[in-house]
Each structure stands twice: as structure tokens, then as C-alpha cells.
Amino acid sequence: MNNLAASAGTRPIDLDDTDHGIIALLRADGRMPYRAIARELGITEATVRARVRRLEESNTMRVVAVTDIEAAGYGMLLAIGVQVENRDPEAVATDLAAIAEVFSVNVVVGSHDIEILVVTEDAGSLSELLMATLGSVPGVRRLTPALAMDVLKNQPDWVPFHDA
């Protein structure tokens, strides 16, 4: 049996081969119907439904939709380092997180106070985003953008899931 620690407030649950099978199938296709999972694993649909509910309620697993940024119309992906001045980095990060084009915000230690990931449709919207939107957030001292030229790995379905 595997023991996977869940997030705070929930107890770890033991995972058996059925749980691992369900997780593997849902990682491959998060929209796979319970009936198809049941057929694939040789169990009942009710068992799949109960197991998925148990896995979700214990915070062991969560099925989420992931957007393909190119399919959504965004042609540019940027990592941007943000230096903060005269304001708490957490407050600046909160303001940055409210901007639609920003999809990841991290307060960090290093040459920047915050690192963000943003998407834009094209170079014109990039200029507008950098100068007018991000640059006008109170406390932003300097933006250091790095344009992704070739995305070699983007694994949105990756999670730290280890067999013990």
C-alpha cells in the first residue's frame, strides 16, 4: 500500500492498485467517463465514482481543465522578473495576480522580488501590457521580461505524485 500525504486538514489515505489505475487514466484523459474507466479497470461505475470522490475529498487528486495558450489565441509567453520598490512585494504580487494576462505569480528570493508568467496575443499587446498595465502597478520598479522563443517542455498535467 502507498501512503500519500494530503494537504493540511485531511488525513493521508492508502492508495491501492485501483486508485492508481483511476489516477493514471484520468491523467491521460481528464474527461474520460466513469463508465469507460470502469470498463478499462474491470470494476463497476459506482466504484469509480466513489473512489474519485474519495481521492478528491482527501486532496489526493483533483481533475482540472488546462488551457492550451496557443489554442486560446495567445502567441507570446513571457517570464518576467519584477523588482519592487517602496511597497511590500506581497501587495504588489496580489495586484499583479489580478491582471488577466498574468497566469502565475511567485514572490521569490534572488535578483527579483517577484516572478510572473504572462501571455499576450502579439507584440502590440505585449508593449501595452508591459508599459501601461504592469509598469503602472504601484511599487513596480523594474520589469525584466524574457520572451519564450521555443517552449521545450510545458507539462501542465505534471504533479509531484510518487510511489512509496
Side-chain angles (χ1 to χ4, degrees):
M1 294 274 174
N2 291 325
N3 196 3
L4 182 68
S7 62
T10 60
R11 294 184 7 205
I13 63 170
D14 290 327
L15 301 178
D16 61 16
D17 290 341
T18 299
D19 294 321
H20 285 288
I22 292 169
I23 291 167
L25 290 170
L26 287 173
R27 286 183 84 182
D29 179 1
R31 297 185 302 174
M32 183 177 237
Y34 290 166
R35 182 174 299 186
I37 294 170
R39 187 171 41 251
E40 188 79 24
L41 298 177
I43 57 178
T44 67
E45 187 176 344
T47 298
V48 172
R49 185 171 278 104
R51 294 289 186 109
V52 169
R53 185 177 326 109
R54 177 176 150 262
L55 291 166
E56 288 178 332
E57 287 174 355
S58 68
N59 288 328
T60 301
M61 175 192 80
R62 181 175 306 137
V63 178
V64 296
V66 177
T67 302
D68 178 336
I69 62 170
E70 287 182 10
Y74 296 103
M76 302 182 89
L77 170 68
L78 287 91
I80 302 175
V82 181
Q83 289 182 344
V84 175
E85 184 175 71
N86 298 326
R87 192 163 177 227
D88 180 50
E90 294 280 342
V92 175
T94 299
D95 288 350
L96 293 170
I99 298 169
E101 295 88 354
V102 176
F103 68 90
S104 176
V105 179
N106 301 287
V107 176
V108 298
V109 175
S111 60
H112 307 292
D113 301 299
I114 301 168
E115 288 184 356
I116 61 176
L117 292 176
V118 302
V119 291
T120 66
E121 294 174 10
D122 53 35
S125 59
L126 171 60
S127 178
E128 176 73 18
L129 177 67
L130 288 172
M131 304 296 277
T133 306
L134 299 175
S136 69
V137 172
V140 171
R141 178 176 179 259
R142 178 180 298 153
L143 299 170
T144 307
L147 176 61
M149 300 303 292
D150 189 13
V151 179
L152 300 176
K153 180 177 183 179
N154 180 14
Q155 207 170 345
D157 62 340
W158 180 87
V159 292
F161 189 78
H162 303 283
D163 290 330

